[in-house]
Amino acid sequence: MDNISRRKFLKISATTISAAATLGAVGKITADVNKISGNTTKGLRKIPTFCDICFWKCGVIAYVKDGKLWKLEGNPLDPLSRGRLCPRGTGGVGSHYDPDRLKSPLIRKNNRGKEEWVAVTWDEAFDYIAQKMQDIKSKYGAESIAMFSHGIGGNFLKHTLKAFGTNNFAAPSFAQCRGPRDVGFKLTFGEDVSSPERTDIKNSKCLVLIGYHLGENMHNSQVQEFSEAIKKGASIIVVDPRFSIAASKAKYYLPIKPGTDLALILAWMNVIVNENLYDREYIEKYGFGFEQFKAEISNYTPEWAYPETGIEPDLIRNTAYEMAKYKPATLVHPGRHVTWYGDDTQRSRAIALLNALLGSWGRKGGFYTPVSMDLPDYPYPSYPKPTKPKVDNPDLKYPFAIETVTNGIREATISGNPYPVKGWFVYATNLIHALPNEDETIRAIQNLDLLVVIDVIPSEIAGWADVVLPESIYLERYDDLNVEWFREPFISLRQPVVDSPNDQKPNWWIAKKLAEKLELSEFYPWENIEDYLEYRLSAGGYDFEELKKTGIIKGSPQPIYFETGVPIEFPTPSGKIEFYSLQLAKAGFDPVPKYKKPEEGPPGYFRLLYGRAPVHSFSRTQTNRILMDMYNENEVWINKFIADRLGLKSGDYVKLKNQDGVVSNKIKVKATERIRPDCVYIVHGFGHNSKMLKFAYKKGASDSQLIKRYVIDPLMGGTGMNVNFVTIEMEV
Ligand SMILES: Nc1nc2c(c(=O)[nH]1)N[C@H]1C(S)=C(S)[C@@H](COP(=O)(O)OP(=O)(O)OC[C@H]3O[C@@H](n4cnc5c(=O)[nH]c(N)nc54)[C@H](O)[C@@H]3O)O[C@H]1N2
Ligand SMILES: Nc1nc2c(c(=O)[nH]1)N[C@H]1C(S)=C(S)[C@@H](COP(=O)(O)OP(=O)(O)OC[C@H]3O[C@@H](n4cnc5c(=O)[nH]c(N)nc54)[C@H](O)[C@@H]3O)O[C@H]1N2
Ligand code: SF4
Ligand SMILES: [Mo]
């Protein structure tokens, strides 16, 4: 489909254009952060820190007027934000002023999940927790306590729990997010894509986005680089069942049948190999098993892929030619949230292989080699040695898992195998929304002797806790240093900008006090986190006082492409790019990805797809009044033809009912030509049912509630979640 017929296929609505405008419409500041005035409580102060509305860690300048938080802008010295925040980052002010914040520690009064509490002092809360922890340790061992966390704020609590003897730490960013991608790339190149992704978007001449919905997904640097690439005339190819904002910028839009991307990628590789369009020299030098790979993909022609994907053979060929034309500056983006169908590692590996054919790994406009500063860790005493292996992956049933599998811990908590899990610490992750199948999460919780949740608002997971600890938000605290792997080396600092309004405390303080209660004080030789930061920075030869003023310390630029002198190394077993993987073959998996048809839904059902809104992060921003002012409930995208047939129009309310009879809250219809007729789409994170979240309560519907089924990726334990189907129930 060329540009014109694409436009005929889908009309771009006014809302697409206004939403797309957010791509460029972010404020820029010219202030010199080095000239910050002294720390008086009156007048205007500008304090650098970094954002935590998502995990990108953009450098921020906070404006504080008469001691009150006024506004947030990007720190121009910061390589991640380059002086611009995304709308969520700017709206971070709303998190500080959120009236629904947790205000003091709480202990459960009645049954779990009833959301009835007694407010207690911090000391009482720590006494309760420490006692339960010692009981669990003496009965089952310290390994029977697990911690779930997301983000840098979990570092100190992890330290306390490691000192206690725990070895089970997991984040949803692996098995519910980027895990399959990182494993697929590691199996191929020996290294993963990491975060921030090492994708050289701004220099790419041809950018392929497979369901990676930049512009709705607002990861700042990537969105800025995407705008730059568009301005420089890069050819954009978007593959998505839904005409996303990114699709509105594309030269080629491929409205693929959900779940069939691997067929398309195999067909692209088939064209590129058969027509000798690959980077021959690169593959001769760096490739392993190319001939076997070539034989394996020989049947996957565009004609074969057409009935699977719904994408015409000519369009498959033309897009393959487009990619080959710009190689090696063609970037087939690996995506980020890739836990879709349960075969996600193999799909991600196919994306890695396509990039390898185009010679883009290590090359300008493809994948650069990230660099970072050298900063010593704090010299703590060594941790006690756990006596049991980690609980999430017994007998390495997920042989290629490179991080802990959240759902593996949940499974062990339910079954008691390979050993019982009796305590959970949950830091900054709303497991009820982040893990598929909330019933399983609740069943696991019912087996616990202790559930501690550290959060800033009364999230759903906090509602199930025995003890809830209220944290100061990111603008009110120090955190560990951010020593980032990126295009250029830098260190950034999070520091308090304003005071916490009530009895909230920062994570480092919570972690340290808990360690003291557990008689683990030797693990906290520092008095205050400033001592800790000062120690690490001076050990690396950097100045803490200077960092407080600038927010950023940069290192010298280093070569980041093979051509510019990066030593070429592929830490795979063969030392080369593995077109054919002997380690996969040995473990009983396909050494070259093979296509399998996705399972269809029952007749009359639509596949449930989900994604991001530009102004929200997951389930964490629906109490932020500033962000809710811009988008305060999600909608269900239904193909216009289907909506007409059902007698529905935009603005009507419906409920979604999944294949297992789970019914959602009511949700507004968005009838649109911008989605295929076989699926519907909603923004993740809405439909809160914690009664304590008064403002967000029942606004919109929750994808997580409907995601009852999931398919586990056998290579690494990730949960494919695009495998649920819904019907549309008229609201009464
Ligand atoms: N159904 C469904 N599931 C998904 C996804 C999806 O799109 N749909 N996305 C997946 C992806 S890609 C990811 S990365 C994960 C994300 O999963 P999570 O990171 O768990 O995301 P949230 O649901 O926003 O939960 C974050 C929690 O941290 C709390 N919080 C916010 N700031 C702070 C703070 O400063 N301190 C503390 N202590 N707590 C804080 C919030 O109030 C909220 O309860 O979810 C995954 N799961
Ligand atoms: N505003 C905002 N930005 C964010 C976040 C946020 O919460 N808010 N979270 C951040 C995080 S941690 C992550 S992981 C990323 C997630 O963002 P991404 O990695 O970009 O995306 P996904 O959520 O996997 O995918 C959503 C897109 O995939 C399409 N899709 C669904 N099924 C298929 C399919 O079978 N094939 C194809 N080709 N496409 C399909 C959907 O229509 C949708 O456009 O966003 C990051 N950026
Ligand atoms: S991308 Fe936006 S929300 Fe995420 S850290 Fe950057 S400014 Fe904050
Ligand atoms: Mo994610």
Side-chain angles (χ1 to χ4, degrees), residues 52 55 150 172-173 176-178 336-339 426-431 433-436 454-461 469 471-474 477 494 507 610-612 617-621 684-685 703-705 707 721:
D52 196 34
F55 302 101
H150 199 178
S173 46
Q176 281 68 48
C177 178
R178 56 175 171 68
R336 185 176 176 106
H337 171 254
V338 295
T339 43
V426 179
Y427 176 88
T429 169
N430 188 1
L431 295 180
H433 280 257
L435 300 182
I454 300 109
D455 207 310
V456 293
I457 51 171
S459 58
E460 281 71 19
I461 189 69
L469 302 178
E471 199 187 5
S472 308
I473 70 149
Y474 68 104
R477 66 179 198 239
R494 176 173 290 151
N507 61 68
Y610 53 86
R612 308 287 179 240
S617 287
F618 317 112
S619 80
R620 60 193 281 169
T621 47
H684 166 64
D703 60 332
S704 313
Q705 196 191 4
I707 299 177
M721 304 193 282

Side-chain angles (χ1 to χ4, degrees), residues 231-243:
K231 264 189 229 136
K232 285 197 272 182
S235 176
I236 313 287
I237 300 171
V238 169
V239 183
D240 198 311
R242 184 183 64 97
F243 190 76

Side-chain angles (χ1 to χ4, degrees), residues 51 53-58 85-86 88-89 218-220 617:
C51 183
I53 301 293
C54 82
F55 302 101
W56 205 255
K57 308 190 192 83
C58 293
L85 300 180
C86 87
R88 298 170 295 155
M218 289 305 284
H219 272 167
N220 193 350
S617 287

